[in-house]
Amino acid sequence: MDKTTARAFAAAALALLPLTTATPAQAAETLSLHAGIEALPQAAEVRDGYERTKFKHWIDEDKDGCHTRAEVLLAEAVTEPTVGAGCKITGGTWRSYYDETTVAGPSGLDIDHMVPLAEAWDSGASQWTAARRQAYANDLGAERSLVAVTAKTNRSKADQDPAEWMPPAATARCTYLADWVGTKLRWALTVDRRERDTLRQLAAGCESTDVEYEQA
């Protein structure tokens, strides 16, 4: 092989290298709610060492001037709000699906971690790095990891799992179960025995509900 041909082969090999070494994107998974519940690993919950400050939030990950809370509000607004200097949000309306309530203006809303930070800690996040806990607390990569809901329902829920709390609106319950299970699957979090038993019982009324998630 002459030098010109060798250089041509080398150039071709380099051109193909990014295609052969690129990491493929995680594919979305769709399971029935029942299958999703059974796919969750089971383990006892451990609260030891939990502090809310171990999950850093809210952050401005993309450096556009709007932190995570504001990003969720903007994404979920039913009527578009006004965004002022420093990403200050005024006006707008939102629909809190936990209690089927329309909220005018952002002040009456909380951003709920679908699986609360303390529950995530109990279910495996205690073993994570600080960076992964930060990613969890600011997860904008899944539609239901963070949801804008009335402050009243968010504070009523606190850090409880579905064995202890469910949304007051009956119309929200199958969606809530799918969002809960999908979030735990996304982040490879566990369930304890009582939680799994309750999820199974509640899912009996949600035969047509699916769980969609991507691994984080």
Side-chain angles (χ1 to χ4, degrees), residues 2-3 12 17 39 144 157 188:
D2 61 32
K3 290 182 179 180
L17 186 59
R144 294 297 192 176
K157 172 182 172 179

Side-chain angles (χ1 to χ4, degrees), residues 155-168:
R155 294 166 198 184
S156 171
K157 172 182 172 179
D159 61 3
Q160 300 175 95
D161 71 24
E164 302 157 321
W165 187 91
M166 285 290 289

Side-chain angles (χ1 to χ4, degrees), residues 21-102:
T21 60
T23 301
Q26 287 284 349
E29 296 278 349
T30 301
L31 301 172
S32 70
L33 178 56
H34 296 279
I37 293 168
E38 299 311 314
L40 291 167
Q42 185 170 306
E45 293 187 355
V46 180
R47 182 64 58 93
D48 295 350
Y50 170 71
E51 295 176 8
R52 188 172 175 83
T53 54
K54 291 181 177 178
F55 293 81
K56 183 180 179 181
H57 65 291
W58 306 113
I59 64 168
D60 179 9
E61 185 174 15
D62 59 5
K63 310 301 182 187
D64 67 350
C66 295
H67 56 50
T68 305
R69 172 183 162 82
E71 298 279 14
V72 176
L73 290 173
L74 292 171
E76 296 191 4
V78 176
T79 302
E80 187 175 351
T82 299
V83 183
C87 201
K88 183 178 180 180
I89 296 174
T90 56
T93 60
W94 287 263
R95 187 71 174 172
S96 167
Y97 95 85
Y98 288 1
D99 50 0
E100 292 294 345
T101 298
T102 298

Side-chain angles (χ1 to χ4, degrees), residues 68-179:
T68 305
R69 172 183 162 82
E71 298 279 14
V72 176
L73 290 173
L74 292 171
E76 296 191 4
V78 176
T79 302
E80 187 175 351
T82 299
V83 183
C87 201
K88 183 178 180 180
I89 296 174
T90 56
T93 60
W94 287 263
R95 187 71 174 172
S96 167
Y97 95 85
Y98 288 1
D99 50 0
E100 292 294 345
T101 298
T102 298
V103 180
S107 62
L109 294 162
D110 281 354
I111 305 304
D112 183 39
H113 291 91
M114 174 54 57
V115 175
L117 301 181
E119 170 71 18
W121 178 272
D122 298 351
S123 306
S126 61
Q127 304 303 309
W128 293 351
T129 64
R132 186 164 173 82
R133 286 196 290 269
Q134 176 177 297
Y136 177 83
N138 298 275
D139 184 13
L140 296 173
E143 185 177 353
R144 294 297 192 176
S145 289
L146 301 167
V147 289
V149 296
T150 55
K152 177 176 68 175
T153 54
N154 182 51
R155 294 166 198 184
S156 171
K157 172 182 172 179
D159 61 3
Q160 300 175 95
D161 71 24
E164 302 157 321
W165 187 91
M166 285 290 289
T171 54
R173 297 190 175 185
C174 292
T175 299
Y176 184 79
L177 291 173
D179 292 346

